């Protein structure tokens, strides 16, 4: 049902995506507005245009949080962390990302 509705919205050029986590998972989101000065007005405009297209849309307020855990390797340790180890980790945890931190001074946690 959700994917059918998503395809229907997108066919009408209504930008939308499936919510995959949290209490609203499997719902369809039309946008997330963060600029405190314009968020409510932007959301209302979107809600009105979606209603004109024949869909009922609710505006919900909520927090968007995301936890990130970082493993920071020293230059010496980085040499030990090769491609083979990375491939094994990605098989077990596909959401892992590998990035170079361009900032030298990262505040320690704790």
């Amino acid at each position: 049902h959700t994917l059918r509705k998503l395809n229907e919205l997108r066919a009408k050029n209504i930008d939308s995506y499936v919510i995959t986590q949290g209490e609203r998972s499997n719902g369809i989101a039309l946008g997330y507005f963060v600029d405190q000065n314009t968020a409510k007005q932007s959301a209302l405009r979107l809600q009105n245009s979606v209603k004109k297209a024949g869909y009922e849309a609710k505006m919900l307020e909520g927090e968007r949080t995301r936890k990130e855990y970082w493993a920071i390797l020293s230059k010496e340790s980085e040499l030990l962390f090769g491609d083979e180890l990375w491939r094994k980790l990605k098989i077990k945890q596909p959401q892992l990302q590998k990035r170079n931190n361009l900032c030298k001074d990262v505040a320690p946690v704790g």
Side-chain angles (χ1 to χ4, degrees), residues 3-96:
L3 291 178
R4 186 170 16 95
K5 185 64 72 179
L6 181 71
N7 288 332
E8 191 177 306
L9 290 166
R10 288 183 174 173
K12 292 185 178 187
N13 291 321
I14 298 172
D15 193 22
S16 49
Y17 58 95
V18 175
I19 301 168
T20 59
Q21 296 178 354
E23 63 187 44
R24 295 185 186 113
S25 67
N26 292 322
I28 296 177
L30 302 174
Y32 195 87
F33 305 91
V34 293
D35 184 324
Q36 291 181 350
N37 299 319
T38 62
K40 191 165 188 171
Q41 294 296 46
S42 297
L44 284 171
R45 277 194 301 277
L46 177 60
Q47 182 182 32
N48 287 332
S49 69
V50 168
K51 281 184 178 182
K52 286 178 187 174
Y55 298 96
E56 187 62 33
K58 293 184 216 171
M59 185 169 50
L60 303 171
E61 289 187 27
E63 301 244 347
R64 188 176 195 179
T65 59
R66 185 174 114 189
K67 288 185 180 180
E68 284 189 3
Y69 297 95
W70 292 31
I72 301 171
L73 302 175
S74 67
K75 272 291 186 205
E76 298 79 24
S77 296
E78 188 177 348
L79 296 173
L80 301 173
F81 195 91
D83 291 338
E84 183 61 28
L85 177 56
W86 178 249
R87 278 192 290 279
K88 287 178 182 178
L89 287 172
K90 285 292 284 184
I91 290 169
K92 292 180 181 179
Q93 299 290 326
Q95 77 279 8
L96 286 177

